[in-house]
Amino acid sequence: MSFDVALTRSQFPVLNQRVGKKRLAYLDNAATTHKPQAVMSAVDRYYGEYNSNIHRAVHTLSQKATEAYESSRQRVAEFLGADRPDEIVFTAGTTAGINLVANSWADQHIQPGDEILISHLEHHSNIVPWQLLCERRGCTLKVIPVLEDGQLDLSAYEQLLSERTRLVALSHVSNTLGVITPLDVMIPKAKEWGATVLIDGAQAVAHLPVNVTELGCDFYVFSGHKLYGPTGIGVLWGRGEVLHGMPPWQGGGDMIETVSFAGSTWAEPPARFEAGTPNIVGAIGLAAAIDYFDALDHAAVTAHEDALLRQATEALLNIPGLRILGTAEPKLSVISFTLEGVHPHDIGMILNKEGVAIRTGHHCTQPLMERFGLDATARASFALYNDQEDVSALLHGLETVRRLFA
Ligand code: PLP
């Protein structure tokens, strides 16, 4: 099997359009990915053929919907290399997964004086829930520094770890830099101190094979919309025994075993953490996205994305005054850059006129921006459907930027 990018592009209807008079070059994939026809069809089939609430009815449509929802859970478990489907909690996304852990597991286990260890390059969604926890529980947030090339400072990490470290929460891949966190080194080190480990896989799942059992973490979270699936659906994987010991965070239907005014009892996980009607169609769409993605030749996809990243990086580095943030290896899919004398926002506006969609701003990583003395960068990020023409459009657009600001 090899990778046919033209065929792949034809499976993503949204790509076949012009922005003004220009061909769309969508390079904002770290923010969200487009959806293949297979995902849209699965969503359509749910609404058109068996739309129904799940778990609590005996009628045929509800049974079909329940079966589809629960087999989506099974599909996600296989995708992540989880031991069991009941280790998969459907959430609204990465942010919701982290907040669930912060409000359930952490509220139960964290004592005043305990330390939560994160890194300087985390997305706000892996910073703020821990700050809120520290306010509630009197714990302290510690931060692993980032080196000049975007890699985490591993010797500082070792020094920060101690018997006070209760939780280490790290991105698998930085959304601003594309640099891959060396989890194979960092997770075992955290475990030596008995810390619980949460990995934010938002930027990893669409690019790297993820096996939670091999990683050795306790929690892994990601969002469906960055993996060619729908928005509003995400996954929290939790190690079975850890999830079982956790109290509910949100109360409501479906998360209980019994309810009475004298007191209520909780359902087993994952239901315990899925109060209310869940995003049924989101879970079904996510499973369709995983089916689509997993049917591809992953080695060929990686080689394709890597070639685009290298080619674009080399060409960008030839532009006078252009600086790339995050040069450490291994890295993937993201190029964050600044251009001397031009605000990233202006770069984004001019590129948009050329049909090129990139992201500009702090990318929800303000502490990292501050670390590099910046308030914003321009960020181009790649997905499997990007091609050479997209890279050429980016380079051509940047020539226009330079001409206009010369
Ligand atoms: N973590 C990382 C590394 C991200 O890139 C993102 C989104 O950009 C998030 C967390 C938050 O994801 P969501 O907004 O889907 O919850």
Side-chain angles (χ1 to χ4, degrees):
M1 224 188 330
S2 69
F3 184 65
D4 181 343
V5 69
L7 174 68
T8 302
R9 291 180 67 80
S10 72
Q11 293 159 344
F12 288 79
V14 76
L15 295 175
N16 186 21
Q17 65 174 289
R18 296 196 160 254
V19 177
K21 291 191 175 142
K22 305 287 183 174
R23 169 187 181 272
L24 169 66
Y26 184 81
L27 295 173
D28 193 18
N29 295 287
T32 199
T33 55
H34 290 305
K35 322 304 169 201
Q37 186 58 53
V39 169
M40 292 186 274
S41 300
V43 168
D44 268 5
R45 267 197 308 281
Y46 168 76
Y47 282 128
E49 295 173 19
Y50 60 102
N51 169 55
S52 226
N53 211 330
I54 55 169
H55 292 156
R56 290 179 297 274
V58 292
H59 63 79
T60 302
L61 295 196
S62 175
Q63 282 175 13
K64 270 195 183 168
T66 302
E67 204 179 295
Y69 182 75
E70 291 305 331
S71 56
S72 300
R73 196 189 303 282
Q74 172 73 42
R75 188 68 190 88
V76 173
E78 285 161 16
F79 176 66
L80 289 180
D83 284 342
R84 307 192 316 246
D86 63 7
E87 294 182 332
I88 302 299
V89 179
F90 284 121
T91 65
T94 305
T95 306
I98 296 172
N99 277 281
L100 198 166
V101 174
N103 283 278
S104 168
W105 178 88
D107 241 33
Q108 184 186 43
H109 286 92
I110 302 297
Q111 308 300 331
D114 285 349
E115 292 177 358
I116 310 285
L117 191 48
I118 62 170
S119 87
H120 208 130
L121 55 68
E122 299 307 317
H123 189 280
H124 295 165
S125 64
N126 199 25
I127 300 174
V128 182
W130 309 121
Q131 290 178 323
L132 292 170
L133 175 77
C134 289
E135 280 175 21
R136 280 197 311 276
R137 303 292 303 161
C139 53
T140 307
L141 194 61
K142 295 273 175 173
V143 182
I144 307 159
V146 173
L147 301 172
E148 203 51 35
D149 64 358
Q151 189 49 270
L152 297 185
D153 183 340
L154 294 183
S155 54
Y157 172 56
E158 288 202 39
Q159 298 197 340
L160 284 163
L161 282 166
S162 76
E163 64 286 338
R164 289 184 300 280
T165 313
R166 281 285 157 275
L167 177 77
V168 176
L170 299 169
S171 300
H172 198 162
V173 175
S174 156
N175 65 308
T176 298
L177 308 177
V179 175
I180 303 173
T181 307
L183 296 181
D184 55 335
V185 178
M186 296 183 78
I187 294 176
K189 291 260 178 268
K191 288 290 160 195
E192 281 171 25
W193 289 98
T196 295
V197 178
L198 177 143
I199 303 300
D200 168 357
Q203 295 296 334
V205 282
H207 305 284
L208 291 175
V210 173
N211 184 307
V212 289
T213 310
E214 285 171 11
L215 277 175
C217 54
D218 301 285
F219 298 108
Y220 195 95
V221 290
F222 73 89
S223 302
H225 70 97
K226 295 184 199 279
L227 179 61
Y228 311 109
T231 48
I233 186 76
V235 168
L236 161 67
W237 168 81
R239 186 180 298 290
E241 63 271 22
V242 181
L243 272 188
H244 273 269
M246 282 164 50
W249 173 33
Q250 293 177 323
D254 239 23
M255 52 71 71
I256 51 87
E257 187 184 45
T258 61
V259 176
S260 83
F261 288 120
S264 302
T265 56
W266 319 131
E268 293 294 306
R272 187 184 299 166
F273 306 110
E274 293 181 5
T277 300
N279 185 351
I280 304 164
V281 72
I284 291 168
L286 174 58
I290 291 174
D291 282 343
Y292 172 85
F293 183 64
D294 257 1
L296 300 169
D297 176 345
H298 283 266
V301 171
T302 304
H304 168 71
E305 288 185 2
D306 202 49
L308 291 180
L309 182 73
R310 310 268 146 219
Q311 185 200 351
T313 302
E314 243 171 69
L316 287 182
L317 285 174
N318 282 329
I319 298 176
L322 191 140
R323 170 187 176 204
I324 293 182
L325 252 76
T327 50
E329 295 287 348
K331 72 173 276 188
L332 52 78
S333 79
V334 170
I335 307 178
S336 244
F337 61 94
T338 56
L339 190 55
E340 212 178 312
V342 192
H343 193 276
H345 189 66
D346 293 327
I347 300 177
M349 300 277 279
I350 295 164
L351 288 183
N352 183 49
K353 289 210 160 68
E354 300 283 329
V356 182
I358 62 156
R359 183 139 300 234
T360 60
H362 53 62
H363 318 297
C364 296
T365 54
Q366 281 184 358
L368 184 65
M369 290 290 118
E370 205 185 333
R371 152 75 180 82
F372 285 107
L374 298 167
D375 62 357
T377 69
R379 180 186 72 181
S381 53
F382 299 90
L384 51 84
Y385 41 65
N386 287 121
D387 62 6
Q388 303 273 339
E389 264 192 79
D390 295 333
V391 175
S392 302
L394 171 67
L395 297 174
H396 184 264
L398 287 172
E399 273 171 30
T400 309
V401 173
R402 288 191 57 225
R403 224 182 20 251
L404 289 172
F405 280 82

